[in-house]
Amino acid sequence: MKSRALFVLFALSASIAVGQTNSAAPASPAASRFPASKWSPTDGTVVLNNFKFGTGETLPALRLHYLTLGKPHRNASGQVDNAVLLLHGTGGDAHSLLNPVFSNVLFVPGGVLDTTKYFIILPDDIGHGQSSKPSDGLHAHFPAYDYDDMVRSQHMMLDEMKIDHLRLILGTSMGCMQSFVWGETYPGFMDALAPFACLPVEIAGRNRMMRYMAIEAIKQDPAWMEGEYKTEPVQGLRDANEMLLIMGSSPLQMQKQAPTRDAAEAYVDKALARTVAATDANDLIFYANASRNYDPSPNLEKITTPVLWINSADDFINPPELGIAETEVKRLPHARFILLPISDATRGHGTHTVAAVWKDYLAEFMQSTEPPH
């Protein structure tokens, strides 16, 4: 069963109603899980043989699916100079950032990421979408991947695609954290980094508590059967999704959308019915736990690539009162941190997908990081 819950809750938030082949294929089943898109991307798949994970586990064939828009361009030196890698949030996939509130603002002619100018790459991360994941058959025996594995596999995927340089990496939520990993692991591979909605420190405190509670809610359900369930452990999934609903919430928008007791309860019932039905328990456990050893903080000074880092003040997952961003940004040699104030336009953690709120900052950043010709 396709995974969707954490995309809704992490990536857009509850307030906003991814051998090689390239072909113009019909939209995948995953596309129907997200708001309708006017874009017609090209599908591609890379298979990485004998991929070794950080745990030492090996997968004989790691399948990575991706979508693309536009065409790659090479400069006078033969290097690709217009590729943009867009990284989705936990539980999302390549279709996540085709959401109209993102794509219809950025990809249009004259937009910041105009597809007639840029080659847009939208991958399904390990454990997500049409890429290899626990629900394909290995269940709880799937390799325990982490963000380092995801970033390394993305780099290998680009190598198979003959993409030797990136104009920009823009990552949202989980993709935001992966952007920091990219900056440390492959310095010089990209001209610019745009991490939106995360912090470059270990996942701890309330953030880890919430993830841990969601994972344990499933594991404590007797129907989980150590991951070998015949039918989904519905009670565990419901409990997990209740936690994730709050993580992705935006208080101002929820109050506006559910101003009465009856409306609030109906909102919860509808949201949980949708997410529980569309979530595989093993997939959720693995992608919620992939951040367990994430911590780029010891090496932030090594990220010399220009960075545009944007969070929003109503982000429950990355609350501004921690003061972490203001401290850590000083360690990045060429970085700007922007904290978006709460407004009718922000959507909590999901503000990272509402491009109208921050597109002007991105446009300025792209202009300032334009390589000399």
Side-chain angles (χ1 to χ4, degrees), residues 128 145-148 150 174 208 215 285-294:
H128 297 71
Y145 61 87
D146 61 15
Y147 290 175
D148 290 334
M150 290 167 145
M174 177 180 71
R208 179 58 192 181
I215 293 168
I285 288 172
F286 275 74
Y287 55 60
N289 201 38
S291 63
R292 64 190 179 278
N293 53 7
Y294 164 78

Side-chain angles (χ1 to χ4, degrees), residues 36-367:
S37 170
K38 69 178 184 179
W39 304 97
S40 299
T42 298
D43 274 81
T45 301
V46 164
V47 176
L48 304 177
N49 294 321
N50 298 313
F51 183 86
K52 187 173 182 179
F53 294 79
T55 59
E57 298 167 282
T58 300
L59 201 62
L62 175 64
R63 183 182 66 256
L64 295 177
H65 171 257
Y66 61 89
L67 302 175
T68 63
L69 292 165
K71 296 181 180 179
H73 177 269
R74 294 187 181 274
N75 60 22
S77 301
Q79 186 179 62
V80 174
D81 61 4
N82 70 333
V84 174
L85 183 65
L86 299 179
L87 303 176
H88 62 74
T90 305
D93 67 22
H95 293 273
S96 303
L97 297 180
L98 291 179
N99 188 305
V101 298
F102 187 92
S103 61
N104 289 2
V105 174
L106 300 179
F107 297 169
V108 294
V112 183
L113 300 179
D114 184 340
T115 58
T116 65
K117 179 179 180 182
Y118 293 105
F119 180 54
I120 307 297
I121 305 167
L122 302 126
D124 284 343
D125 258 320
I126 299 173
H128 297 71
Q130 296 179 56
S131 293
S132 298
K133 55 188 179 295
S135 60
D136 291 339
L138 289 178
H139 307 151
H141 301 289
F142 193 84
Y145 61 87
D146 61 15
Y147 290 175
D148 290 334
D149 295 320
M150 290 167 145
V151 168
R152 185 160 46 86
S153 70
Q154 291 163 5
H155 186 269
M156 294 171 72
M157 179 193 78
L158 293 173
D159 186 56
E160 291 291 324
M161 295 171 66
K162 309 303 180 187
I163 303 299
D164 54 6
H165 188 76
L166 292 170
R167 174 66 182 87
L168 172 73
I169 297 177
L170 188 157
T172 60
S173 190
M174 177 180 71
C176 173
M177 293 184 274
Q178 291 173 352
S179 298
F180 284 110
V181 176
W182 261 99
E184 293 182 354
T185 309
Y186 302 106
F189 194 86
M190 73 298 294
D191 295 325
L193 288 167
F196 292 175
C198 74
L199 296 170
V201 296
E202 180 181 1
I203 302 296
R206 187 177 69 185
N207 193 339
R208 179 58 192 181
M209 292 177 191
M210 292 185 293
R211 295 167 191 259
Y212 178 70
M213 286 189 283
I215 293 168
E216 287 300 303
I218 295 173
K219 289 187 174 182
Q220 296 299 325
D221 186 334
W224 182 59
M225 299 172 62
E226 300 296 322
E228 296 303 322
Y229 46 86
K230 304 305 178 185
T231 59
E232 294 287 344
V234 175
Q235 187 57 56
L237 277 173
R238 181 182 174 89
D239 292 346
N241 280 290
E242 287 172 350
M243 179 59 58
L244 302 176
L245 176 62
I246 297 302
M247 290 181 73
S249 67
S250 170
L252 177 61
Q253 298 303 324
M254 280 191 157
Q255 186 69 26
K256 291 171 65 175
Q257 292 184 33
T260 67
R261 185 194 69 189
D262 288 345
E265 293 175 359
Y267 184 103
V268 169
D269 289 340
K270 183 178 180 180
L272 291 178
R274 181 180 66 246
T275 55
V276 169
T279 309
D280 178 83
N282 283 324
D283 287 350
L284 189 155
I285 288 172
F286 275 74
Y287 55 60
N289 201 38
S291 63
R292 64 190 179 278
N293 53 7
Y294 164 78
D295 185 10
S297 62
N299 297 303
L300 289 181
E301 286 83 1
K302 296 181 180 180
I303 301 179
T304 56
T305 301
V307 175
L308 174 66
W309 174 10
I310 298 179
N311 284 3
S312 55
D314 51 358
D315 187 341
F316 190 79
I317 297 174
N318 304 292
E321 59 265 31
L322 297 179
I324 292 172
E326 290 79 3
T327 299
E328 299 301 315
V329 70
K330 298 174 184 177
R331 300 176 52 208
L332 294 160
H334 306 289
R336 180 186 184 189
F337 174 70
I338 296 168
L339 181 65
L340 300 170
I342 299 172
S343 71
D344 284 339
T346 58
R347 294 294 186 272
H349 186 63
T351 302
H352 60 62
T353 304
V354 188
V357 181
W358 42 257
K359 67 179 178 65
D360 290 344
Y361 293 117
L362 182 63
E364 179 185 352
F365 182 60
M366 292 296 284
Q367 184 176 14

